[in-house]
Amino acid sequence: MQIFNTLTRKKEDFVPLQEGHVGIYACGPTVYNYFHIGNARPFIIFDTLRRFLKHLGYDVKFVQNFTDIDDKMIKRANEENTTVDAIAEKYIAEYFKDAQALGVLEADVHPRATRHIGEIIGLIKKLEAKGLAYEVNGDVYFDTQAYRSSYGKLIGQNLDDLESGARVEVGDIKRHPMDFALWKAQKPGEPAWKSPWGMGRPGWHIECSAMSMKYLGETFDIHCGGVDLIFPHHENEIAQSEGATGKPFARYWMHNGHINVDNKKMSKSAGNFFMVRDILKEYDAEAVRLFMLSAHYRSPINFSRDLIIQAANSLERLYTARNSALFNLEHAPERELNAEETAFVERSKKAVEAFDAAMSDDLNTADALAAIFEHVRDMNSSLTADSAAGAIAQGLDALKTMTDVLGLLSKEYDSTPEEVKELVEKRAAAKKARDFAEADRIRDEVLQMGYVIEDTPKGPKVKKA
């Protein structure tokens, strides 16, 4: 597999630190609200990365944090007259609801910053001992000047260039404008923890360094997140982590592109800032996932009503093909494959190979989806109710292999409610008794319930309207 490494700005062959094992750290949400559609993209993309690596046979340890202490959380807690911890508990639970709806698997570890204060303090003390951190009135800062030879390598700029664009605020107590907070002294009414520098709380960047190294080691394979996190968050993670350990931090850095809404940058001021919770009231969650995978992860993607509807229609084509094949499989003859069926089986294997090749090319989900739809077209034209069971099963197995990696087609085949099934049986009995008026009435009743009855030579087939 090849991955575009933000650190080197080129595609590289992926070679894990430990053969057969992959450690991934993905930046998670700050849990002061429901997560928005922009957050959903990295959650879906890097869940897909994890699924694909497991498909390739790797043992994957996937860590995604929750930032459960920062200014936004303190502000929300004050607004709701509650505690920061209560806000965190509420929105972590809500995160899991929306993530599950989008097919995002739970991480192997979901660390919370407030549960790792000891590790954070220990890391800051290491930086102090190496002369890379200094304290001013209970605040502790990373000294970028003391690390200037290496700072800026992820963003591809040196410290002088970065400093020229920075502003020093009036009364700023930092030595240099690019220095960043490792520990913040307690302000009135804020939650705080004991530390060698007095009561306070961690800075944002140090949290991820401490948690990732605790669960994945001082050097691990892949660190990922949105492109907006490259600077300063990920740049600062590298500086403080490598400054403390003297070892490489993450070996591969993967960043997904921005998401626009109706061709405009998503922002609260533009009124196009949508929470996933609200979007899922109108659109199928799996269609949202397919939409997110329809473009290469490093490219910007445009979210619009029309594009989600297109994704929903594409998803329906996949379900229709799968369900039709499953229906045919129930009635398929058990016999040797003929020449045409044998050729189809070989094409099914080639489809999975094409899918794997696309995904191995820097997680090219757009081309991977193209391989799936080409296979579905082949299934629709090659398989019939009279096809051999082995051919149908092979076509379905190939489809499941590919869609499982993308987190699609998760709904069960026979999800028809029992009351609909009973009506279908009554309609069949009415037709047998040649009571066609009653059969038509039942058909219309089933349609009102959101299902269509399709008569086939093998019997009635039911699908959602």
Side-chain angles (χ1 to χ4, degrees):
M1 181 181 185
Q2 286 200 314
I3 289 174
F4 183 89
N5 189 350
T6 308
L7 187 63
T8 59
R9 284 166 283 284
K10 65 181 181 182
K11 282 186 188 179
E12 298 179 358
D13 290 335
F14 175 64
V15 181
L17 195 63
Q18 183 182 355
E19 186 177 355
H21 299 268
V22 182
I24 302 176
Y25 185 85
C27 282
T30 301
V31 284
Y32 71 101
N33 204 343
Y34 303 107
F35 67 84
H36 56 73
I37 191 66
N39 301 136
R41 191 179 192 195
F43 299 159
I44 290 169
I45 292 298
F46 299 119
D47 172 76
T48 304
L49 170 68
R50 175 194 190 183
R51 288 169 180 261
F52 181 60
L53 288 169
K54 293 183 80 169
H55 164 70
L56 293 180
Y58 288 105
D59 174 32
V60 180
K61 185 172 185 180
F62 190 88
V63 181
Q64 180 187 292
N65 73 299
F66 290 120
T67 297
D68 62 347
I69 178 65
D70 84 334
D71 293 341
K72 292 176 182 176
M73 296 203 63
I74 293 169
K75 182 174 182 288
R76 176 56 62 92
N78 290 337
E79 288 172 351
E80 297 190 11
N81 194 29
T82 186
T83 65
V84 169
D85 192 58
I87 292 293
E89 291 292 339
K90 174 182 177 180
Y91 287 108
I92 287 173
E94 298 302 333
Y95 163 84
F96 284 121
K97 290 179 185 177
D98 290 344
Q100 184 179 35
L102 292 170
V104 175
L105 303 173
E106 285 193 26
D108 296 301
V109 187
H110 275 291
R112 292 172 56 167
T114 60
R115 309 288 168 85
H116 295 81
I117 298 298
E119 289 85 356
I120 291 167
I121 290 173
L123 186 54
I124 297 172
K125 288 171 70 176
K126 281 185 181 180
L127 291 168
E128 267 193 328
K130 293 195 172 190
L132 294 174
Y134 60 92
E135 182 264 341
V136 182
N137 300 328
D139 291 324
V140 183
Y141 292 95
F142 183 88
D143 189 345
T144 53
Q145 293 294 317
Y147 197 71
R148 65 178 303 117
S149 62
S150 297
Y151 192 80
K153 63 182 180 181
L154 185 64
I155 197 172
Q157 297 184 42
N158 61 41
L159 192 56
D160 291 333
D161 293 336
L162 291 168
E163 280 182 357
S164 67
R167 294 182 180 180
V168 180
E169 299 295 332
V170 176
D172 201 326
I173 60 175
K174 296 187 295 184
R175 293 177 183 173
H176 305 286
M178 299 309 299
D179 293 354
F180 55 89
L182 301 170
W183 188 262
K184 298 181 178 182
Q186 183 181 26
K187 295 176 183 176
E190 288 187 351
W193 290 263
K194 291 180 181 178
S195 81
W197 317 283
M199 297 296 290
R201 59 185 172 92
W204 176 33
H205 314 300
I206 199 71
E207 298 172 354
C208 283
S209 288
M211 291 186 287
S212 59
M213 289 194 287
K214 175 179 174 64
Y215 295 103
L216 297 173
E218 293 177 339
T219 302
F220 58 91
D221 294 302
I222 302 173
H223 196 313
C224 45
V227 67
D228 55 306
L229 297 180
I230 294 175
F231 187 83
H233 185 49
H234 289 164
E235 189 71 60
N236 291 348
E237 278 191 65
I238 292 174
Q240 64 203 7
S241 302
E242 296 186 357
T245 68
K247 302 174 184 177
F249 181 43
R251 300 171 69 242
Y252 300 86
W253 290 82
M254 298 179 71
H255 293 94
N256 65 276
H258 287 294
I259 185 165
N260 298 320
V261 177
D262 293 325
N263 293 309
K264 296 178 182 177
K265 185 177 179 181
M266 188 177 74
S267 68
K268 291 180 180 177
S269 60
N272 62 354
F273 189 87
F274 299 117
M275 297 299 175
V276 166
R277 180 65 54 90
D278 295 326
I279 289 169
L280 298 189
K281 293 175 183 175
E282 186 172 355
Y283 302 110
D284 179 76
E286 204 170 350
V288 173
R289 185 179 179 106
L290 189 150
F291 160 75
M292 291 289 188
L293 298 173
S294 64
H296 192 279
Y297 77 93
R298 287 191 288 115
S299 302
I301 192 170
N302 183 53
F303 181 89
S304 72
R305 177 184 297 271
D306 288 343
L307 291 173
I308 292 295
I309 291 172
Q310 286 178 27
N313 291 336
S314 296
L315 185 65
E316 182 63 26
R317 288 200 297 275
L318 296 182
Y319 270 111
T320 297
R322 185 201 69 175
N323 294 348
S324 178
L326 285 168
F327 180 82
N328 287 338
L329 185 61
E330 292 174 350
H331 308 281
E334 294 286 350
R335 58 169 173 77
E336 292 291 321
L337 274 60
N338 59 34
E340 290 182 359
E341 291 163 347
T342 300
F344 168 77
V345 167
E346 289 305 310
R347 291 196 302 273
S348 294
K349 295 176 183 176
K350 294 291 185 184
V352 176
E353 290 175 7
F355 174 88
D356 285 350
M359 293 292 284
S360 293
D361 182 13
D362 191 31
L363 210 70
N364 191 336
T365 55
D367 284 359
L369 278 167
I372 291 175
F373 280 102
E374 180 60 36
H375 176 61
V376 163
R377 281 190 288 272
D378 196 6
M379 287 177 63
N380 290 339
S381 61
S382 301
L383 300 177
T384 68
D386 297 319
S387 296
I392 299 173
Q394 178 63 41
L396 283 165
D397 184 63
L399 180 61
K400 179 173 173 54
T401 295
M402 294 184 285
T403 55
D404 278 358
V405 170
L406 298 188
L408 301 174
L409 298 192
S410 58
K411 299 182 182 71
E412 294 294 328
Y413 163 53
D414 189 8
S415 57
T416 308
E418 287 299 321
E419 57 267 34
V420 172
K421 292 180 182 178
E422 290 175 7
L423 287 171
V424 171
E425 290 177 5
K426 289 180 179 178
R427 178 176 177 271
K431 287 186 69 177
K432 188 175 182 180
R434 304 188 66 78
D435 188 350
F436 299 115
E438 175 64 6
D440 289 345
R441 186 198 67 76
I442 294 173
R443 180 198 62 204
D444 293 341
E445 183 180 349
V446 168
L447 184 60
Q448 289 295 317
M449 297 171 74
Y451 292 84
V452 174
I453 302 174
E454 180 183 339
D455 292 314
T456 77
K458 302 290 186 180
K461 183 164 64 173
V462 185
K463 64 180 182 179
K464 279 195 172 183

